[in-house]
């Protein structure tokens, strides 16, 4: 189902909001947890290299005083924004194909590379969050980012699914689900903000070793990756509901090239 048809469906839903059958956000989060538990191999295969890279970069920068000017360089934020975008794209694809049957179409979607528009849009969201974090009031920054991101968040699963999308279409698609999107993204942001002092408290009780800062940086990335799994699964689920998106199905036989 194309996004143009989906937008037509949304206009009908908006006209009759009492017929909206949006999924329960609590149930979506429970399913996200179950999905994460069932895909531990995929998660750790992607999350551990990210955490290891962050730990290695931090260790090198902390150990070499000549590199002190690079410790908070904006380039690191940009690098990890791109990495997080690729992580999120892969997790959304896995969530979209959660119960699909093996077929060439499903394999093609699962093995497809991240779309450039997905990469740019997701990286822009991460960089916007980084910029807003510089405001004096962290809570206000979090609310502003969540409100802005939730308006167009369904563009991410649409692009991951290979559907043509624009900001206008993503806004129309997600309009009936704004509360769900705001709570999903806002909850992830709130947990991310709480993780920072929590990890700092843990680090304060560790022995004073040169690798403390590196371990803390790696732990931060693991927390970020875990939160992204819930966001990615939630976005995929809400996208399926809003766009009536259907997973690829085998056309008569599983792998046609074998016949």
């Amino acid at each position: 189902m194309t996004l143009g048809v989906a937008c037509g469906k949304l206009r009908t839903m908006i006209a009759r909001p009492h017929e909206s059958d949006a999924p329960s956000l609590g149930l979506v989060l429970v399913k996200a947890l179950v999905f994460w538990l069932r895909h531990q191999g995929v998660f750790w295969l992607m999350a551990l290299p990210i955490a290891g890279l962050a730990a290695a970069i931090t260790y090198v920068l902390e150990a070499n005083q000549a590199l002190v000017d690079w410790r908070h360089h904006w380039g690191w934020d940009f690098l990890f924004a791109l990495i997080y975008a690729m992580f999120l794209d892969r997790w959304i694809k896995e969530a979209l194909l959660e119960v699909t049957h093996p077929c060439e179409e499903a394999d093609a979607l699962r093995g497809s590379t991240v779309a450039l528009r997905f990469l740019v849009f997701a990286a822009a969201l991460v960089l916007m969050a980084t910029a807003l974090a510089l405001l004096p009031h962290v809570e206000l920054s979090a609310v502003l980012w969540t409100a802005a991101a939730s308006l167009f968040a369904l563009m991410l699963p649409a692009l991951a699914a290979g559907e043509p999308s624009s900001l206008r279409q993503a806004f129309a698609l997600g309009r009936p689900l704004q509360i769900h999107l705001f709570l999903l993204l806002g909850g992830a942001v709130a947990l991310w903000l709480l993780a920072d002092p929590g990890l700092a408290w843990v680090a304060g009780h560790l022995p004073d070793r040169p690798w403390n800062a590196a371990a803390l940086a790696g732990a931060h990335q693991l927390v970020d990756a875990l939160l992204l799994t819930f966001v990615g699964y939630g976005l995929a689920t809400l996208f399926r509901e809003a766009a009536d998106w259907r997973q690829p199905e085998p056309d008569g036989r599983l792998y046609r090239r074998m016949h």
Side-chain angles (χ1 to χ4, degrees):
M1 182 175 183
T2 64
L3 287 181
V5 177
C7 289
K9 177 187 175 185
L10 285 180
R11 284 192 290 269
T12 303
M13 292 173 62
I14 293 169
R16 296 176 294 176
H18 60 280
E19 294 184 8
S20 175
D21 55 349
S24 165
L25 185 59
L27 181 59
V28 169
L29 294 178
V30 171
K31 289 183 176 180
L33 176 60
V34 174
F35 184 80
W36 175 75
L37 291 173
R38 293 175 55 190
H39 291 76
Q40 289 291 286
V42 177
F43 174 78
W44 291 109
L45 186 64
M46 296 190 297
L48 285 179
I50 298 174
L53 177 62
I57 291 174
T58 302
Y59 184 84
V60 171
L61 296 180
E62 291 291 333
N64 193 337
Q65 293 299 319
L67 301 176
V68 64
D69 293 336
W70 287 87
R71 291 180 183 175
H72 302 289
H73 194 274
W74 62 268
W76 302 124
D77 294 327
F78 181 73
L79 172 63
F80 280 96
L82 295 178
I83 293 174
Y84 286 151
M86 290 186 285
F87 178 96
L88 186 59
D89 174 77
R90 177 53 50 196
W91 199 261
I92 289 176
K93 284 186 170 71
E94 293 292 335
L96 289 173
L97 300 172
E98 180 178 8
V99 292
T100 192
H101 299 288
C103 63
E104 292 176 350
E105 291 82 356
D107 287 349
L109 178 57
R110 182 177 284 110
S112 61
T113 58
V114 56
L116 180 60
R117 292 179 64 197
F118 183 103
L119 199 64
V120 171
F121 184 67
L125 289 179
V126 175
L127 292 176
M128 183 175 68
T130 303
L132 287 176
L134 300 177
L135 294 178
H137 302 288
V138 177
E139 296 81 2
L140 177 60
S141 302
V143 172
L144 289 176
W145 182 88
T146 303
S150 62
L151 295 177
F152 311 104
L154 289 189
M155 186 173 180
L156 292 173
L159 293 174
E163 295 281 353
S165 181
S166 66
L167 291 177
R168 182 179 178 180
Q169 291 172 323
F171 174 76
L173 197 64
R175 187 176 176 183
L177 300 170
Q178 280 302 298
I179 295 179
H180 290 70
L181 292 169
F182 185 86
L183 293 177
L184 175 66
L185 298 177
V189 171
L191 290 175
W192 182 80
L193 292 174
L194 291 174
D196 188 53
L199 291 175
W201 180 85
V202 172
H205 289 76
L206 293 176
D208 187 14
R209 295 290 188 273
W211 45 261
N212 276 12
L216 184 62
H220 267 291
Q221 308 311 313
L222 289 178
V223 170
D224 292 346
L226 180 60
L227 293 176
L228 283 177
T229 63
F230 283 84
V231 170
Y233 187 91
L235 290 178
T237 302
L238 295 175
F239 170 74
R240 282 200 303 261
E241 176 66 28
D244 196 22
W245 186 83
R246 294 291 180 263
Q247 299 164 334
E249 294 291 340
D251 184 16
R253 48 187 184 270
L254 298 184
Y255 288 94
R256 292 183 290 278
R257 294 179 183 176
M258 296 177 63
H259 298 269

